[in-house]
Amino acid sequence: MNELRTEILVVGGGLGGIAAALAALRRGRHVVLTEEYPWLGGQLTSQAVPPDEHPWIEEFGATRTYRALRDGIRDHYRRAYPLTDAARVHPALNPGAGWVSKLCHEPRVAVAVIDELLAPWRAAGRLTVLQPARPTRADVDGDTVRAVTVERLGTGATTTIAADYVLDATETGDLLPLTGAEYVTGFESRAETGEPSAPDAAQPHNQQAISYCFALDHLDGDHTIDRPARYGHWRSVEPEFWGSPLLSFGAPDPRTLRPKPRVFDPNPGDDALAVDADQSREQGDGNLWTFRRIAARDLFAPGHYASDITLVNWPNIDYFEAPVVDVDDATRRARLDDAKQLSLSMLYWMQTEAPRPDGGTGWPGLRLRADVVGSTDGLAQAPYVREGRRIRAVTTIVEHDLSQAVRGAHGARRYADTIGIGMYRIDLHPSTGGDNYLDVAAEPFEIPLGALLPQRMRNLLPAGKNIGTTHITNGCYRLHPVEWNIGEAAGHLAASCLDDDRQPHEIQAKQPLLEDFQALLTRDGVELRWPAGVSGY
């Protein structure tokens, strides 16, 4: 067993973990970062999900370092890829011309940019990355985490890392049960939160669907995969609220809940430079091929891409049969395998049975692009996890803090201890309790520091979507730029506590300390308030 000692330990190398590590490193601190999967970047890379962002992202509404990440992705394409002249000079280059985001791109490009951001700190010996590794045990003394032990996947070797501050940036809040921190999963009750959309009784195992995303192109020939073992099961599933079989191009409209047919038209020859993604105006999922397209071949030199590449992250691959958080390891593995079977079954159905506009059936030319997602089975390295464990926090963000239906013209709640901002509709996918979508219009919101503070633990900080949200508000605080902002603030908070020999709760509770911390965030490019006149959707 190896042992390490560091100032700040960040467990989880998703967007929150990367942002936390970079913030602490810029403050002169030493950091150990661990990550379970081969790629750093979490939902942006190993989970293969292009950024979900608000419509003002190009002008405001994100931290300076999140903008640097986005700029780095575009610069990478301009430096390394044979873009057309028009695409190269386009100031808001969208390499995939997808409708879900103003920046749809291949996951591997984000991996390269993240590695570049971290490279100077690794070279200087200030950052140590342990990968692939997952946490297995924590050494806790009362309300303080002394060390975390991680296991190196593939070898079984263990490393125990002692740290002054421990940041949980895992996708499902894995450190919370290991450290004994108080947390919640699934739906809270209306009696606890007062939320209009909450159920009468708590439902801890009622959790949002997970998804195994995958990338496709379309070529001549037959690229049909072997029939998945569970195809018969998934071919027969027709949820009562769906309006069609799960394996179809139909699904409920998240906002109206009425059945919404979609079309599927590979390589439609659309004007890629004319795509203007804006979820406040248009959901963009009319043609599933262009919805989450991550490489639009017409933006590159003729022949460089034989086909567009699209990313399948559609409602039809949402696995909501059973939860995967807070179940035993064997059950979790079985359910993750079943989720993979659903994704592969959707692909097989598209290749063999899906209706085509010309009256035929099946697109055998659909090709699974394992190389694009960096896996052997063709699916993303990790499941797209929308919801995990959430801390019992000093401040819990609830639906009526930002719901348009509740807040009306008042806008979202303003917090005296804001440490960042974000915007997305409250977007809950079907859940393991049999619930349909829950989609609520929201106002541009703030991130309170109190939501990053566990009620009891002193040196354990959440650095991702495990902050003090509810099942409902998690639906808009879980997206890419918000996760990054949360992680960045957590990294700064740990560094500030080390600089001034303070504790996180003290900084939040004492006005002069809080104002100093907020001023520091502002100087580092963290936006704390929305501009006047910006309203949600």
Side-chain angles (χ1 to χ4, degrees), residues 267-351:
N267 296 316
D270 56 322
D271 184 353
L273 281 177
V275 171
D276 182 18
D278 184 340
Q279 291 284 309
S280 69
R281 293 198 315 260
E282 168 59 52
Q283 295 180 59
D285 58 350
N287 180 1
L288 290 171
W289 181 268
T290 57
F291 180 40
R292 293 184 183 269
R293 182 172 52 185
I294 56 175
R297 62 180 180 180
D298 291 343
L299 297 180
F300 300 86
H304 183 72
Y305 285 92
S307 163
D308 293 346
I309 302 174
T310 195
L311 196 286
V312 177
N313 177 19
W314 309 335
N316 314 81
I317 65 165
D318 281 0
Y319 177 81
F320 47 86
E321 286 211 338
V324 298
V325 175
D326 273 2
V327 298
D328 63 79
D329 285 346
T331 299
R332 181 176 184 271
R333 287 194 298 269
R335 291 174 180 174
L336 290 177
D337 286 343
D338 210 20
K340 288 185 175 185
Q341 283 287 304
L342 170 57
S343 292
L344 292 171
S345 293
M346 182 65 187
L347 171 58
Y348 185 77
W349 175 83
M350 288 193 289
Q351 292 174 321

Side-chain angles (χ1 to χ4, degrees), residues 8 18 61 69 76 111 135 168 188 210 304 360 525:
I8 298 173
I18 299 301
L69 172 69
H76 187 93
V111 176
D168 184 348
E188 296 90 345
I210 65 166
H304 183 72

Side-chain angles (χ1 to χ4, degrees), residues 129-209:
V129 179
L130 302 181
Q131 184 184 21
R134 62 178 180 181
T136 58
R137 187 172 62 83
D139 178 12
V140 180
D141 180 8
D143 299 338
T144 302
V145 182
R146 298 300 182 190
V148 174
T149 298
V150 298
E151 177 185 345
R152 303 299 293 268
L153 303 183
T155 68
T158 60
T159 303
T160 296
I161 309 113
D164 297 303
Y165 280 87
V166 177
L167 277 54
D168 184 348
T170 62
E171 298 298 320
T172 53
D174 295 345
L175 290 188
L176 303 184
L178 290 179
T179 60
E182 291 77 14
Y183 67 90
V184 63
T185 62
F187 254 126
E188 296 90 345
S189 70
R190 186 178 300 133
E192 178 182 354
T193 67
E195 294 174 304
S197 300
D200 291 335
Q203 300 171 6
H205 292 291
N206 191 358
Q207 302 162 12
Q208 280 195 75

Side-chain angles (χ1 to χ4, degrees), residues 54-56 60 280 404 408-409 411-412 423 442-444 530-537:
H54 56 73
W56 311 284
F60 52 84
S280 69
Q404 280 192 348
M423 173 59 203
E443 285 295 312
W530 282 94
V534 179
S535 59
Y537 55 91

